[in-house]
């Protein structure tokens, strides 16, 4: 074996002339279970994350001076400055390339808490199909420092337990007395507002203060939700925002959920249905689109700079593109779409209102400028660049 050797419990990695070897020391009462599994099924998964075939076994297991047998599997080939790991070993559809001397290889490089395989998770959100590359000089690779940060941010057991507990509390709390404090605050606000109106007082300062109180209240409610955002799924988060959306944007009088829109352009000559999660209807009956995403950190601007400028992440660009498609298909649907939407949502919109598709706009609620701990998620330079991006999309289709 070569000089390089990384060890992590029952799993260790050694370098030889061809690349990397994974050494697995049996951690089971039956020391022969690996051999039996290979013989019977042709493959085996060790340490809850590495799947090998019979051909990967380099030689018969040896004890190397210990009490339990150690199995040696071909883990990666060394080529062009990278260790190439077959995707099947890590549960991926594509191979994984890790730069030589880029990382200290341990079990936790590949497997997170609760035996979560890391690279299949990366593959699910990878923007293009193909190899997953970490480190090195390739332009499509994940920089080593970013990968290390990613590993550090994978939730540990305590965080997962807290998340599960928070989810239970959220669901149970909503079932029995959801958002009681928020509701009490809102009812108090309505009482104050009602007293102003009932007293027939049109004193401008009182009315202005009532509106200020409304927005202060909504800010407090949303901040409370943001503080516990990790306990909500994206659907849950959308459901919460819907509760206050008409108060935040007074020009809207109705919220439509699960709107079906006809698409005649993706496949010419045929109709395909597209589904918009949420649409808004204003006082004149015109329809707009709103995209509400869960408020994750670091989803607005890419970490890297382009000629000194922050640029939108793929998440932000993708969400904008999705909204653009919705606006396009709504506009092309025209009068027939207006008729169908009016008929379908007659019980949701004010009595007698006709839904109109008149130059619809889109709003995107995505990301956050402060983290859950109150620290800023964006630098001053990033905030400036984000404002430029927002203004770019403010006209003609976005608000």
């Amino acid at each position: 074996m070569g000089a390089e050797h990384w060890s992590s419990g029952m799993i260790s990695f050694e370098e030889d002339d061809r690349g990397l070897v994974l050494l697995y020391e049996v951690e089971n009462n039956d020391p022969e279970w690996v051999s039996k599994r290979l013989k019977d099924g042709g493959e085996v998964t060790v340490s809850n994350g590495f799947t090998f075939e019979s051909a990967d076994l380099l030689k018969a297991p040896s004890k190397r001076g210990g009490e339990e047998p150690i199995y040696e599997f071909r883990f990666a080939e060394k080529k062009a400055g990278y260790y190439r790991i077959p995707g099947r070993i890590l549960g991926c559809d594509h191979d994984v390339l890790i730069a030589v001397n880029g990382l200290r290889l341990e079990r936790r490089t590949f497997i997170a808490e609760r035996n979560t395989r890391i690279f299949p998770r990366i593959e699910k959100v990878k923007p293009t199909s193909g190899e997953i590359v970490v480190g090195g000089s390739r332009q499509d690779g994940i920089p080593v420092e970013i990968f290390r940060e990613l590993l550090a941010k994978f939730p540990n057991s305590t965080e997962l337990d807290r998340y599960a507990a928070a989810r239970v509390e959220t669901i149970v709390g909503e079932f029995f007395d959801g958002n009681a404090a928020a509701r009490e605050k809102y009812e108090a606000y309505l009482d104050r507002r009602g007293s102003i109106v009932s007293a027939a007082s049109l004193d401008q300062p009182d009315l202005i203060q009532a509106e200020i109180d409304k927005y202060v209240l909504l800010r407090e409610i949303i901040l409370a939700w943001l503080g516990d955002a990790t306990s909500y799924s994206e659907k849950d988060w959308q459901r919460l925002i819907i509760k206050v959306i008409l108060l935040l944007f007074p020009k809207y009088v109705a919220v439509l959920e699960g709107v079906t829109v006809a698409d005649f352009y993706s496949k010419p000559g045929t109709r395909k249905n597209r589904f918009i999660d949420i649409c808004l209807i204003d006082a004149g009956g015109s329809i707009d689109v709103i995209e509400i995403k869960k408020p994750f950190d670091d989803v607005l601007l890419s970490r890297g700079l382009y000629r000194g400028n922050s640029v939108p992440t793929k998440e932000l660009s993708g969400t904008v593109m999705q909204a653009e498609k919705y606006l396009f298909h709504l506009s092309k649907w025209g009068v027939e779409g207006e008729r169908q939407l009016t008929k379908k949502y007659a019980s949701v919109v004010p009595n007698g209102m006709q839904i109109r598709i008149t130059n619809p706009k889109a709003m995107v609620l995505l990301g956050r400028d402060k983290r859950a701990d109150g620290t800023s998620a964006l630098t001053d330079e990033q905030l400036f660049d984000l404002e430029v991006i927002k203004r770019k999309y403010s006209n003609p289709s976005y608000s």
Side-chain angles (χ1 to χ4, degrees), residues 125-139:
V125 298
K126 193 171 182 290
T128 57
S129 60
E131 303 160 334
I132 303 170
V133 183
V134 177
S137 58
R138 284 182 47 164
Q139 295 298 311

Side-chain angles (χ1 to χ4, degrees), residues 366-377:
L366 173 74
R368 56 196 300 173
D369 60 355
K370 291 188 181 298
R371 299 185 177 90
D373 61 5
T375 60
S376 178

Side-chain angles (χ1 to χ4, degrees), residues 86-303:
R88 59 177 173 78
I89 292 178
L90 302 178
C92 298
D93 293 329
H94 303 91
D95 290 352
V96 173
L97 278 66
I98 298 178
V100 175
N101 300 323
L103 289 169
R104 174 184 170 82
L105 300 184
E106 305 173 86
R107 183 180 185 274
R108 67 188 186 93
T109 308
F110 305 95
I111 303 171
E113 293 279 352
R114 307 285 174 87
N115 297 319
T116 301
R117 291 182 171 187
I118 291 171
F119 283 96
R121 293 297 179 93
I122 294 174
E123 188 174 50
K124 284 185 178 180
V125 298
K126 193 171 182 290
T128 57
S129 60
E131 303 160 334
I132 303 170
V133 183
V134 177
S137 58
R138 284 182 47 164
Q139 295 298 311
D140 59 344
I142 303 170
V144 169
E145 60 273 15
I146 299 298
F147 184 77
R148 288 198 182 106
E149 184 177 342
L150 181 152
L151 294 182
K153 287 187 175 181
F154 259 83
N156 57 36
S157 291
T158 300
E159 290 171 330
L160 290 170
D161 288 339
R162 287 177 178 172
Y163 172 80
R167 288 288 294 138
V168 171
E169 289 173 7
T170 298
I171 294 168
V172 173
E174 287 185 356
F175 180 79
F176 287 109
D177 194 21
N179 299 299
R183 184 163 56 249
E184 289 172 4
K185 288 182 180 180
Y186 184 55
E187 287 173 353
Y189 158 73
L190 290 178
D191 289 340
R192 292 196 304 274
R193 185 175 182 275
S195 66
I196 292 173
V197 176
S198 62
S201 170
L202 295 179
D203 186 50
Q204 189 176 15
D206 288 340
L207 292 174
I208 292 174
Q209 187 59 49
E211 284 300 292
I212 292 173
D213 289 344
K214 178 183 76 171
Y215 288 109
V216 169
L217 168 66
L218 293 177
R219 181 177 183 273
E220 291 176 356
I221 292 172
I222 294 172
L223 283 175
W225 289 344
L226 284 169
D228 198 29
T230 56
S231 69
Y232 299 106
S233 68
E234 186 161 286
K235 288 293 184 184
D236 291 335
W237 184 252
Q238 290 175 348
R239 187 157 46 85
L240 288 174
I241 297 300
I242 287 173
K243 292 179 181 179
V244 300
I245 204 75
L246 298 184
L247 292 169
L248 284 172
F249 305 102
K251 79 169 187 173
Y252 294 109
V253 297
V255 177
L256 311 184
E257 298 182 61
V259 178
T260 302
V261 178
D263 170 5
F264 298 101
Y265 288 83
S266 294
K267 292 185 178 180
T270 63
R271 167 176 170 156
K272 177 181 178 181
N273 287 334
R274 291 184 177 268
F275 303 94
I276 307 175
D277 289 336
I278 305 169
C279 288
L280 303 174
I281 304 299
D282 71 14
S286 295
I287 189 170
D288 288 331
V289 174
I290 182 168
E291 280 289 304
I292 303 173
K293 302 294 185 181
K294 191 173 176 182
F296 288 113
D297 298 341
D298 304 325
V299 298
L300 294 172
L301 300 175
S302 296
R303 289 182 174 274

Side-chain angles (χ1 to χ4, degrees), residues 261-263 265-266 274 276 289 318-332 362 398:
V261 178
D263 170 5
Y265 288 83
S266 294
R274 291 184 177 268
I276 307 175
V289 174
T319 302
V320 169
M321 185 61 188
Q322 183 180 39
E324 289 278 14
K325 283 285 189 72
Y326 291 152
L327 297 179
F328 174 82
H329 294 300
L330 268 173
S331 298
K332 292 298 183 181
Y398 284 82

Side-chain angles (χ1 to χ4, degrees), residues 256 340-353 355:
L256 311 184
Q340 292 189 30
L341 291 172
T342 298
K343 180 179 179 180
K344 181 175 181 180
Y345 293 102
S347 62
V348 179
V349 300
N351 188 36
M353 174 174 280
I355 294 178

